[in-house]
């Protein structure tokens, strides 16, 4: 088996060796999937995983725009259309200076598995640009979004490819992107998700990824006869996912002790309550400033510059910032400090060494493709509401989100249950693979 896996990886490596994040995401599924595929006659010998590792299409384009000083700026835009076996391409757009093809291919690859787990009919894609929205005026962000959409619009559509937000792309950016699409096509359609409520958005979509991550952590804990109530929670990030993960933890009676951003970690030993969280939301969403400004209002908190939260004592860790933000060393420290549950709000935040360590120590560990699937799941519900030309209430959407997270938990158990440990990663990988693979087999070699 080892040889089959290493032969497969060296074949993938030949085409993609210069894309480390993408190779990492592929490696992360092969140990689970290849033995499973080999054991199943219907999948063996059909090169299905190899086909899943090659994007169906990659679009790469120039994005020119003019800044407030009249200077002409050039960025690079992308859309990776990874797999459309079970539905139109679906996945977010990321605007961050680190964006490159490797990062977007890893995200698109993960998205295929994640979307499959939601049970909704969505294929996988991801896109974005190396544009940095930090320190840009609203006008600059708008002009960038309009220029980006002026190329992207010809490749997307409500039954073709439906982008949404990710790092650096929130409600403001989705608004500007939607406005330009509508203007170019003269069509009001559900071509993007994460829209504003008055123009086709779904209630709970902004909350969905963070809420869903906490629902999943709660499902894992409940299964072991535990709960989040009264537990201390370390959260990284202070963007969309982190904010609503924190809100749901507070609602469930847990104590949120950290949040962070790219400048460092905020530690509030008294707990970040609803009032303090709304100040963080103001600082990050409206003022668009650094998280350490929190100390001006709540001086008893501490700020650790350029540090992540993982050396602080907590029961539950929710990495909600970015890929590879939690190292092997961090995992050792978390385990040493008594952490017993890790649920990924971000995509691939735990490095492979950390994941291995969590499994070895039988820590409850949920991979992002399972635990952060609530965001894209509610995007799927937004698409359904757009098609129905109808909107569900907050409670209806929240209820559906909870049910979807419970079903993902069940799917993980089905294929991940070991003697005295649940390998949620393996469960998620196999369960997600089966649905996509069956659709690919049914549709022939295309
Ligand atoms: P936001 O842009 O709203 O927030 C990102 C947060 O992470 C910010 O606090 C940001 O700090 C921090 N961050 C970003 N890059 C780095 C870095 N290189 N080092 C340290 N901190 C960093 O994004 P989201 O909350 O939407 O996304 C967070 C994660 O969740 C990503 O991995 C994304 O792919 C994933 N995700 C998002 C979903 C969604 O619906 N939005 C759905 C599923 C997964 P700063 O403010 O200083 O930039
Ligand atoms: O990583 C993700 O799942 C997202 N950024 C959300 C994608 C979506 O289409 O809602």
């Amino acid at each position: 088996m080892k040889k089959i896996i290493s032969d497969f990886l060296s074949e993938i490596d030949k085409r993609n060796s210069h894309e480390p994040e993408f190779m990492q995401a592929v490696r992360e599924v092969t140990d689970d999937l290849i033995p499973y595929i080999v054991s199943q006659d219907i999948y063996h010998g059909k090169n299905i995983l190899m086909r899943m590792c090659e994007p169906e299409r990659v679009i790469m384009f120039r994005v020119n725009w003019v800044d407030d000083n009249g200077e002409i700026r050039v960025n690079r835009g992308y859309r990776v259309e990874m797999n459309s076996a079970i539905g139109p391409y679906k996945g977010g757009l990321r605007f961050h200076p680190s964006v490159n093809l490797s990062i977007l291919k890893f995200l698109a690859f993960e998205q295929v598995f994640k979307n499959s787990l939601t049970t909704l009919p969505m294929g996988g894609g991801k896109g974005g640009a190396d544009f940095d929205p930090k320190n840009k005026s609203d006008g600059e962000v708008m002009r960038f979004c309009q220029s980006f959409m002026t190329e992207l619009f010809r490749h997307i559509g409500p039954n073709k490819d439906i982008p949404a937000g990710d790092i650096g792309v929130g409600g403001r950016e989705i608004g500007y992107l939607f406005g330009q699409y509508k203007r170019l096509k003269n069509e009001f359609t559900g071509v993007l998700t994460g829209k504003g409520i008055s123009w086709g958005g779904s209630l709970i979509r902004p909350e969905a990824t963070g809420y869903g991550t906490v629902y999943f952590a709660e499902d894992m804990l409940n299964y072991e006869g535990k709960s989040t109530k009264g537990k201390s929670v370390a959260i990284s990030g202070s963007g969309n996912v982190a904010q609503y993960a924190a809100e749901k933890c507070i609602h469930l009676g847990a104590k949120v002790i950290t949040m962070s951003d790219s400048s460092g970690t905020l530690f509030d030993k008294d707990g970040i309550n609803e009032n303090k969280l709304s100040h963080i939301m103001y600082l990050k969403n409206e003022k668009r400033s650094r998280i350490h400004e929190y100390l001006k209002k709540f001086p008893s908190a501490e700020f650790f510059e350029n540090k992540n939260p993982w050396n602080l004592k907590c029961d539950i860790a929710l990495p909600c910032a970015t890929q590879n933000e939690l190292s092997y060393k961090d995992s050792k420290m978390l385990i040493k400090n008594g952490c017993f549950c890790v649920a990924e709000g971000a995509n691939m935040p735990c490095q492979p060494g950390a994941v291995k360590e969590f499994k070895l120590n039988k820590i409850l560990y949920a991979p992002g493709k399972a635990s952060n699937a609530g965001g894209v799941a509610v995007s799927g519900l937004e698409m359904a509401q757009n098609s129905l030309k109808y909107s569900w209430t907050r409670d209806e959407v929240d209820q559906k989100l909870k049910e979807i997270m419970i079903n993902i938990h069940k799917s993980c158990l089905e294929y991940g249950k070991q003697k005295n440990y649940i390998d949620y990663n393996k469960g998620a990988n196999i369960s997600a693979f089966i649905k996509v693979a069956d659709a690919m087999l049914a549709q022939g070699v295309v």
Side-chain angles (χ1 to χ4, degrees):
M1 189 57 64
K2 273 204 171 127
K3 179 155 172 17
I4 302 178
I5 295 174
S6 77
D7 286 353
F8 175 85
L9 285 171
S10 60
E11 201 53 37
I12 298 286
D13 201 53
K14 269 190 211 157
R15 283 201 196 106
N16 305 288
S17 58
H18 54 294
E19 294 175 348
E21 291 86 2
F22 175 62
M23 284 306 301
Q24 183 184 337
V26 172
R27 253 183 239 115
E28 195 271 324
V29 303
T30 44
D31 281 356
D32 296 328
L33 288 184
I34 291 183
Y36 177 75
I37 292 169
V38 170
S39 74
Q40 304 289 315
D41 286 347
I42 49 163
Y43 304 127
H44 191 34
K46 311 267 176 24
N47 249 353
I48 299 179
L49 192 54
M50 189 68 81
R51 287 193 258 162
M52 286 175 70
C53 289
E54 195 58 27
E56 290 178 13
R57 189 176 301 105
V58 175
I59 301 143
M60 207 165 123
F61 49 97
R62 187 180 68 184
V63 187
N64 291 339
W65 57 283
V66 181
D67 71 17
D68 286 348
N69 299 321
E71 301 275 341
I72 298 168
R73 306 277 201 107
V74 183
N75 283 100
R76 185 173 288 177
Y78 306 82
R79 187 71 181 165
V80 177
E81 297 184 332
M82 200 73 189
N83 192 298
S84 62
I86 62 171
Y89 310 106
K90 178 83 195 91
L93 295 172
R94 178 177 289 192
F95 291 169
H96 193 271
S98 64
V99 161
N100 60 35
L101 198 52
S102 171
I103 289 178
L104 294 180
K105 277 175 67 181
F106 117 64
L107 289 164
F109 185 73
E110 291 264 305
Q111 199 79 46
V112 174
F113 287 77
K114 186 193 304 191
N115 293 4
S116 168
L117 286 172
T118 66
T119 69
L120 300 172
M122 301 181 289
K126 201 88 187 189
D130 59 358
F131 171 76
D132 188 355
K134 278 207 186 84
N135 305 316
K136 300 286 189 303
S137 69
D138 260 6
E140 288 177 322
V141 171
M142 181 180 75
R143 290 194 294 281
F144 176 81
C145 288
Q146 290 176 340
S147 182
F148 182 87
M149 187 51 91
T150 301
E151 174 57 32
L152 188 67
F153 90 101
R154 66 187 91 249
H155 307 290
I156 62 176
N159 295 310
K160 202 186 276 180
D161 185 349
I162 307 93
D166 193 80
I167 291 177
V169 178
R172 174 182 62 168
E173 291 73 18
I174 293 292
Y176 295 147
L177 291 163
F178 184 80
Q180 185 70 351
Y181 182 87
K182 183 165 64 73
R183 178 199 210 179
L184 291 165
K185 296 281 283 193
N186 191 23
E187 253 177 35
F188 195 111
T189 54
V191 67
L192 292 159
T193 58
K195 300 185 290 300
I197 297 303
S198 62
W199 41 281
S202 173
L203 290 162
I204 300 283
R205 176 61 190 92
E207 294 90 339
T209 312
Y211 278 18
T213 301
V214 179
Y215 290 152
F216 197 89
E218 185 76 351
D219 292 338
M220 290 198 296
L221 288 161
N222 287 172
Y223 192 75
E224 313 266 317
K226 297 179 187 149
S227 82
T228 47
K229 194 167 185 196
K231 304 297 184 306
S232 60
V233 185
I235 296 179
S236 65
S238 50
N240 172 265
V241 180
Q243 291 172 12
Y244 289 104
E247 183 170 280
K248 186 50 73 181
C249 285
I250 297 166
H251 290 168
L252 293 178
K255 183 174 170 186
V256 177
I257 53 163
T258 72
M259 289 181 78
S260 69
D261 68 12
S262 53
S263 67
T265 290
L266 173 75
F267 172 55
D268 190 332
K269 62 175 184 341
D270 303 323
I272 297 169
N273 59 21
E274 260 182 297
N275 173 37
K276 293 171 175 179
L277 179 61
S278 77
H279 187 58
I280 292 179
M281 289 180 175
Y282 161 72
L283 289 176
K284 296 305 295 185
N285 307 349
E286 286 170 53
K287 210 164 168 224
R288 297 186 188 270
S289 61
R290 302 275 184 201
I291 201 169
H292 60 69
E293 281 203 28
Y294 178 98
L295 268 67
K296 285 190 195 157
K297 196 159 177 195
F298 304 107
S300 64
E302 289 174 77
F303 182 72
F304 303 110
E305 202 170 346
N306 293 326
K307 292 267 188 305
N308 67 32
W310 315 129
N311 63 342
L312 296 162
K313 187 172 161 45
C314 64
D315 299 317
I316 298 168
L318 304 177
C320 297
T322 193
Q323 66 274 358
N324 290 325
E325 56 163 312
L326 197 158
S327 68
Y328 167 70
K329 229 172 109 195
D330 295 329
S331 69
K332 298 279 276 185
M333 191 55 105
L334 281 170
I335 295 165
K336 189 172 149 227
N337 282 334
C339 172
F340 52 79
C341 175
V342 180
E344 295 183 343
N347 287 308
M348 209 168 74
C350 298
Q351 294 180 13
V355 175
K356 217 167 162 187
E357 198 60 19
F358 291 141
K359 288 188 190 176
L360 209 66
N361 287 275
K362 302 201 163 36
I363 303 294
L364 286 174
Y365 162 73
K369 67 190 85 170
S371 47
N372 75 35
V376 74
V378 175
S379 277
L381 300 179
E382 182 171 329
M383 289 161 67
Q385 293 170 86
N386 290 165
S387 298
L388 292 169
K389 303 207 183 312
Y390 188 74
S391 334
W392 294 319
T393 64
R394 203 181 153 84
D395 279 352
E396 281 172 321
V397 180
D398 198 24
Q399 199 49 43
K400 288 183 203 300
L401 169 63
K402 279 184 193 153
E403 280 163 20
I404 288 170
M405 298 318 292
I406 287 173
N407 283 331
I408 297 176
H409 185 259
K410 278 192 195 141
S411 305
C412 291
L413 290 185
E414 191 175 348
Y415 294 98
K417 218 168 174 175
Q418 323 271 287
K419 233 182 180 174
N420 48 14
Y421 182 63
I422 296 157
D423 186 338
Y424 283 93
N425 211 14
K426 181 176 183 185
N429 283 338
I430 296 178
S431 175
F433 170 82
I434 289 172
K435 190 174 166 199
V436 178
D438 287 349
M440 287 173 71
L441 287 178
Q443 291 167 27
V445 181
V446 289

